[in-house]
Amino acid sequence: MADTLTKFRELTTKLKQYSEILGLVYWDMRTGAPRKGIEFRSEAVGALSDDMFRLSTSDEMGELLEKLGQPDTYAALSAIDRRLVEETRKEFDRNRKLPPELFKEYVILTSQSESAWEVAKDENDFAGFSKYLERIVEMNRQFIEYWGVRGTPYDTLLDMYEPGMTTPELDRLFGELRSRLVPLAEAIRARGDRPDTSFLQSKFDIEAQKKLSRFILKQMGYDFEAGRLDETVHPFATGLSIGDVRITTHYYEHDLPSALFSTIHEGGHALYEQNISQELARTPLATGTSMGIHESQSRLWENMIGRSRGFWQRYFPELQKHFPGQFDNVTAEAFYRGINVSEPSLIRIEADELTYNLHIMIRYEIEKMLFNEGLAVRDLPEVWNAKYKEALGVVPKNDSEGVLQDVHWSGGSFGYFPSYSLGNMYAAQMLNTAKSKLPDLDGQIARGELQPLKGWLTENIYRHGKMLDPSEIILNISGEPLQSSYLCDYLETKFRDIYRLG
Amino acid sequence: MADTLTKFRELTTKLKQYSEILGLVYWDMRTGAPRKGIEFRSEAVGALSDDMFRLSTSDEMGELLEKLGQPDTYAALSAIDRRLVEETRKEFDRNRKLPPELFKEYVILTSQSESAWEVAKDENDFAGFSKYLERIVEMNRQFIEYWGVRGTPYDTLLDMYEPGMTTPELDRLFGELRSRLVPLAEAIRARGDRPDTSFLQSKFDIEAQKKLSRFILKQMGYDFEAGRLDETVHPFATGLSIGDVRITTHYYEHDLPSALFSTIHEGGHALYEQNISQELARTPLATGTSMGIHESQSRLWENMIGRSRGFWQRYFPELQKHFPGQFDNVTAEAFYRGINVSEPSLIRIEADELTYNLHIMIRYEIEKMLFNEGLAVRDLPEVWNAKYKEALGVVPKNDSEGVLQDVHWSGGSFGYFPSYSLGNMYAAQMLNTAKSKLPDLDGQIARGELQPLKGWLTENIYRHGKMLDPSEIILNISGEPLQSSYLCDYLETKFRDIYRLG
């Protein structure tokens, strides 16, 4: 058994190493790899991905998993090895169930489809994109057959991003969100008292924005010796290893909040990956446990901390220092209100913290219709527009600002969208417990003492990497399964105060 | 046969792809990968290198080479495929001849030894380093046995960096260099008329230096869409693919020539790699043919063009524009003389264009003694110092500025040093032909028209990649084998003029 285990650990370490290197290649392609090298680089990525796929689905891997899965053997394994066997088997089963030719076709299709989507979005041409999307949906329906239907077909897709999450569960959660957040958003709109944001309509020196980004990341406890900050149009975070977690942001002279909150958001993702236990290094367990839990950390830091009154009590004077003269006539309170304007909008990525969840709810409902109710791709624009009208009271004037706005579906990522709202719900529930465990948390934040919170999150979330399922994490922290009420309570309290809804 | 060839091309393409990705990882490690990720990254590099080694020495590769090497089959191959078979076989033979455990030991030893060298250099502790160096020399002697002695044992090492180069050939070349360059250096010293360099003892704005570096690279024809310029302590160039050839430089506020000539030097290497024929893309033939030919291009551009009178006729006004006011009282001629000061020195990498060759000659003689005459490692400092005294008239005051100054030996790179002087000799001989083929070359350079020269170099050198041996390249260009006389003529003419030796 020792040999079997050694061999198994070797293979999984190698999978981790390949994925580290692939992560670096992707980072490079997004941060400045020269244009003329992209074709060769893509081919090299294809070769390495192919090696990785072969390794993870090899007969050798199958035999090792078989041996290590024998009850006596399995029982004798360490907790880490048991988890490693489970996670590797999940990947193995998923990949082995697909006919390789089908998978290859899908990889090519989705890469072409992403380019087609870009063109279609630019040219407002849903019809041009829909032939790709139809095939992608059709293939995903096939995949679900191969993988096996869990409850409903859509559940099979959900499980990839949020292990254990189901449609009934999401129906309940989004139903509750709808019943509390739609009225809240309507009350805000009816109030008609938009906070002043005129002080944000100005030019903000890019060098000063960069300094501020680095300053705030350091305050959060982001370790620059285990990461770096670069610039890309679309900010992202990527954990190559525990010792190398990189983030990117973007700076616009006329949009200070954009850089600021992108940086904090990606910083939240990065704190998770930088603080995974060293015990898990060199294994594929050294990463976030799900998209939802990952998103909980970016959103907790970006919105619940970064857009909180207490945070700006401490950091507004720092902001003033970074942009001398530009905030002389603004108070911390006015700034806090200005960065928390909530209003219905058409574009998800520009939405505020409250209405964002309604954008996600719409996508969830549509995806479910696609996979569980046979909605046809050609009917998407109509359904999309009707749902926006109903939930947000706005209607896109064309498909580019409607059904074509997001990249996800062009890459075949169905079941991913719910992660964003799950992240918000997890975050609110976590923070509720954190406040009881760290009774002075609000005071600490208002004094810029962010390390107690980071420590608590590390202890309860970060260090575990992929050792615990999302449901175990939230249960361990709060003593109950995921609820929507914490998020609703948090948003109601925050926005009723900001909008003086009495 | 078609299948055999297809399979062979697949494997060689994969080797090229692995090496592209490894190249990227090394680039990343040198340009800003975070410190805490280095340990994991090194392990990942080890895994990928190991895969590459296995692939290049696999039984499958052996069988393919065997089949493709059959006379009838081989004769039916295209020129590129024939060359690919030859080069792959060379690598295969070299690697298969070493016992894998010995090779593994060597990889670990040299990586430890590079760290030990850094410490030893800092602490002037040759004894501390010599136990590593002794084992490295001993292992190289063993390798030579495994690989087979070519002429003399040292020839076997030489051939790795400069295919076809031999000790008798180098003895002749360095003998000639010695007999003409030592007296020239002495005459300069005796003349005692050092050009004025006071205008270089100033502060030069780093942003302006960066702009100048980019400007000059563009003038040379470096394609920024197929590369990028970054900063590292030790500048380098790396060709990941024809479409991605990256260079680095460094900027010091008090040392303008350092950035300037590092940039041009690495730019020369990059022009070579960017202009390899697209036909060779995706094969391991898409790289420079030898270290010597590569170095000929960095040195031709850095010294023979970049430090020429004509170049500064055109670019001195540009320099003045980049540093307003700082060169108002300097003439192009004074600048030209100032950047061409020649004087004996102890440190190779700081040496001028003339005496540089004497530094290399010393290393060549010592390496030859180590492998052909049984020189003991413990005697290196004494031999080193004696040779510096004899050839340059200077003696290191300690080993840090003597035998410990270069990294090469700590990594086991014996036989590499001659490449630098070979590069100078190749470059002078190439330029001599270029001047007859492009009769207005001097005029073109003085007008900043660098593209005819780049075009000529592309036609005769760059596009061929690894398709031709170094000896074929120089023979095709000049109609004769490599000679030292062109370099000696060039240096004598240039420095007798600068130092007014009449």
Side-chain angles (χ1 to χ4, degrees), chain B residues 14 33 41 44 59 94 97 122 199 201 210 250 284 288 299 322 333 345 348 375 399 430 443 446 449 478 483:
Chain B
K14 194 156 174 174
R41 185 65 39 83
D59 292 340
R94 190 190 293 282
K97 280 178 181 168
D122 279 353
F199 48 81
Q201 322 302 317
K210 288 186 185 177
H250 53 205
R299 282 151 191 283
H322 278 78
E333 177 65 16
S345 62
R348 174 183 63 86
L375 175 66
D399 291 333
M430 288 165 177
E449 297 162 14
S478 65
Q483 306 296 341

Side-chain angles (χ1 to χ4, degrees), chain A residues 14 17-18 20-21 28 32 34-37 39-41 43 47 51 223 225 227-228 243-244 246 282, chain B residues 14 17-18 20-21 28 32 34-37 39 41 43 47 51 223 225 227-228 241 243-244 246 282:
Chain A
K14 195 155 174 175
Q17 289 167 332
Y18 275 44
E20 174 174 348
I21 286 177
D28 182 66
R35 188 179 65 75
K36 292 184 182 171
E39 186 184 346
F40 302 119
R41 185 66 39 83
E43 292 169 9
D51 286 347
D223 181 354
E225 295 211 320
R228 50 182 286 171
D244 190 352
R246 304 181 180 198
R282 302 182 179 80
Chain B
K14 194 156 174 174
Q17 289 167 332
Y18 274 45
E20 173 174 347
I21 286 176
D28 182 66
R35 190 179 64 75
K36 292 184 182 171
E39 186 185 346
R41 185 65 39 83
E43 292 170 11
D51 286 346
D223 181 354
E225 296 210 321
R228 50 182 285 171
S241 69
D244 191 353
R246 303 181 180 195
R282 302 181 178 81

Side-chain angles (χ1 to χ4, degrees), chain A residues 102-343:
Chain A
L102 202 68
F103 183 73
K104 212 162 197 172
E105 184 195 332
Y106 187 68
V107 170
I108 295 165
L109 173 67
T110 48
S111 97
Q112 291 169 340
S113 161
E114 287 192 35
S115 312
W117 166 76
E118 273 184 44
V119 175
K121 187 184 171 189
D122 280 353
E123 300 178 356
N124 185 32
D125 174 23
F126 181 74
F129 174 55
S130 67
K131 63 174 182 289
Y132 291 94
L133 192 55
E134 271 166 17
R135 179 71 186 135
I136 290 174
V137 169
E138 186 183 317
M139 289 187 79
N140 268 281
R141 287 174 180 150
Q142 280 181 279
F143 291 176
I144 294 170
E145 294 295 321
Y146 282 112
W147 287 328
V149 171
R150 311 166 64 97
T152 78
Y154 184 57
D155 287 44
T156 303
L157 301 176
L158 273 180
D159 188 65
M160 283 201 294
Y161 303 101
E162 203 62 17
M165 188 51 64
T166 65
T167 304
E169 183 82 355
L170 280 180
D171 282 346
R172 177 178 67 80
L173 293 166
F174 278 115
E176 290 163 6
L177 289 186
R178 171 187 286 271
S179 71
R180 290 182 63 182
L181 301 188
V182 171
L184 179 58
E186 275 168 6
I188 289 171
R189 187 153 39 150
R191 180 76 170 78
D193 181 18
R194 193 181 194 277
D196 179 29
T197 55
S198 57
F199 47 83
L200 296 172
Q201 322 301 318
S202 178
K203 269 180 73 169
F204 298 95
D205 180 62
I206 299 285
E207 285 308 311
Q209 291 196 44
K210 289 186 184 176
K211 278 191 189 137
L212 182 64
S213 272
R214 296 183 72 87
F215 170 75
I216 289 195
L217 284 171
K218 279 183 193 157
Q219 292 287 308
M220 290 168 65
Y222 176 79
D223 181 354
F224 277 95
E225 295 211 320
R228 50 182 286 171
L229 174 63
D230 294 87
E231 286 174 60
T232 53
V233 178
H234 302 289
F236 67 96
T238 181
L240 306 178
S241 70
I242 298 173
D244 190 352
V245 182
R246 304 181 180 198
I247 56 184
T248 69
T249 191
H250 53 205
Y251 304 99
Y252 303 115
E253 219 169 34
H254 291 281
D255 191 348
L256 172 63
S258 182
L260 195 54
F261 294 107
S262 292
T263 300
I264 302 177
H265 181 100
E266 303 309 334
H269 281 303
L271 287 187
Y272 192 173
E273 298 273 330
Q274 282 188 337
N275 292 287
I276 291 168
S277 165
Q278 288 285 341
E279 286 185 320
L280 302 178
R282 302 182 179 80
T283 78
L285 303 175
T287 187
T289 191
S290 74
M291 296 314 302
I293 299 288
H294 233 306
E295 208 61 28
S296 77
Q297 294 314 298
S298 52
R299 281 151 191 281
L300 185 149
W301 284 100
E302 177 193 346
N303 294 326
M304 297 174 189
I305 306 300
R307 290 186 207 263
S308 71
R309 182 177 274 131
F311 186 84
W312 291 105
Q313 233 169 288
R314 163 68 184 87
Y315 292 109
F316 187 67
E318 297 288 346
L319 186 80
Q320 288 176 313
K321 269 187 233 159
H322 279 77
F323 303 98
Q326 294 190 266
F327 290 102
D328 281 0
N329 302 315
V330 185
T331 61
E333 177 65 18
F335 183 78
Y336 164 66
R337 296 184 73 228
I339 56 171
N340 278 298
V341 167
S342 171
E343 54 203 0

Side-chain angles (χ1 to χ4, degrees), chain A residues 368-383:
Chain A
K368 212 172 44 162
M369 289 168 76
L370 274 174
F371 291 96
N372 290 356
E373 297 159 29
L375 175 66
V377 165
R378 66 174 175 281
D379 297 329
L380 279 175
E382 198 184 325
V383 174

Side-chain angles (χ1 to χ4, degrees), chain B residues 194-259:
Chain B
R194 193 180 193 277
D196 179 27
T197 56
S198 58
F199 48 81
L200 297 172
Q201 322 302 317
S202 179
K203 270 180 73 169
F204 298 95
D205 179 64
I206 298 285
E207 284 308 310
Q209 291 196 44
K210 288 186 185 177
K211 277 192 190 137
L212 182 65
S213 273
R214 296 182 72 87
F215 171 75
I216 290 194
L217 284 171
K218 278 183 194 158
Q219 291 287 308
M220 289 168 65
Y222 175 79
D223 181 354
F224 276 95
E225 296 210 321
R228 50 182 285 171
L229 174 63
D230 293 88
E231 286 173 61
T232 53
V233 178
H234 302 289
F236 67 96
T238 181
L240 306 178
S241 69
I242 298 173
D244 191 353
V245 182
R246 303 181 180 195
I247 56 184
T248 70
T249 190
H250 53 205
Y251 304 99
Y252 301 115
E253 219 169 34
H254 292 279
D255 191 348
L256 172 63
S258 181

Side-chain angles (χ1 to χ4, degrees), chain A residues 422-440:
Chain A
L422 287 170
N424 289 333
M425 290 185 266
Y426 284 129
Q429 191 161 336
M430 288 164 177
L431 204 57
N432 183 65
T433 302
K435 284 186 180 178
S436 69
K437 301 289 181 183
L438 304 168
D440 187 29

